Amino acid sequence: MHKNAKRMQRVTSFKIYLTNPSLRCALFTPIKEDDEFIGSMVETAVFSQWIQGGKTDFFYANWAKGRTKGEVDIVWVDMATQKAVSVAEIKWTDRFAENPTELKSLHTFLSSNHSVRKIFVTSKTRFGKYDTPEGKILFIPVAIYSYWISNFLYHSKKSNSLQ
């Protein structure tokens, strides 16, 4: 997906996620909380929750134009209008909660997609809000976000089974 939330004609880069984060530890070496690969593992864990919960209506946005490159981890698109409605950046650091202007790719994406209503950025331990011209960014610890995902998916399945 492009920064304008449009599907690309030719996909030249993509991400691959193991749907079970423990596979990474089995294939390679176990990692610790401060390991350089923990951010990728956290992102994988969040993706695997969404996927295993049956939610696959999201995309990964990636773009490169000249020297400008960027990505947004999760983009939900309204299929009827083909416009981005919600985004999430999965981080394992509190740095961005303290300095939200450093989220350059996210700001670039938001400035190109004025239809985004929900903006989430995970952190290691920090909660917070940051107002931008494009909308309000909600910072939430990734553990709380993961709990919210499982709760959301549980109640979605429960309400669908009652119908």
Side-chain angles (χ1 to χ4, degrees):
M1 175 170 289
H2 189 265
K3 73 176 180 180
N4 295 327
K6 304 279 187 228
R7 289 185 189 250
M8 291 188 272
Q9 296 291 335
R10 189 179 79 191
V11 177
T12 57
S13 64
F14 53 90
K15 284 188 177 183
I16 297 175
Y17 293 95
L18 298 172
T19 57
N20 186 339
S22 62
L23 280 174
R24 192 249 178 245
C25 292
L27 293 171
F28 304 107
T29 59
I31 59 176
K32 295 181 169 69
E33 180 181 342
D34 58 349
D35 194 297
E36 68 177 290
F37 298 110
I38 192 71
S40 297
M41 288 295 291
V42 168
E43 192 175 331
T44 299
V46 170
F47 267 90
S48 67
Q49 275 190 283
W50 282 117
I51 291 168
Q52 290 176 6
K55 295 291 184 182
T56 58
D57 56 346
F58 56 85
F59 300 91
Y60 162 68
N62 177 320
W63 63 90
K65 186 170 185 173
R67 293 184 179 181
T68 306
K69 295 179 181 180
E71 70 171 29
V72 174
D73 295 328
I74 305 174
V75 178
W76 285 271
V77 175
D78 180 338
M79 292 303 166
T81 63
Q82 290 295 300
K83 294 190 184 277
V85 293
S86 183
V87 296
E89 272 291 301
I90 311 304
K91 303 293 185 191
W92 181 249
T93 179
D94 290 333
R95 185 177 104 208
F96 298 108
E98 295 162 4
N99 297 306
T101 57
E102 289 183 26
L103 293 162
K104 298 198 183 309
S105 291
L106 180 61
H107 290 292
T108 299
F109 186 85
L110 293 173
S111 66
S112 298
N113 295 279
H114 301 288
S115 57
V116 177
R117 296 185 305 263
K118 296 178 184 172
I119 309 163
F120 298 100
V121 177
T122 66
S123 65
K124 193 172 180 181
T125 62
R126 303 278 305 266
F127 286 97
K129 291 181 189 171
Y130 178 72
D131 289 320
T132 71
E134 298 85 21
K136 186 177 299 220
I137 298 174
L138 176 64
F139 291 92
I140 184 169
V142 73
I144 304 295
Y145 184 69
S146 295
Y147 171 77
W148 177 84
I149 293 170
S150 62
N151 191 44
F152 171 79
L153 294 172
Y154 172 77
H155 288 292
S156 293
K157 284 184 178 182
K158 189 175 175 183
S159 66
N160 286 340
S161 67
L162 296 175
Q163 294 177 355

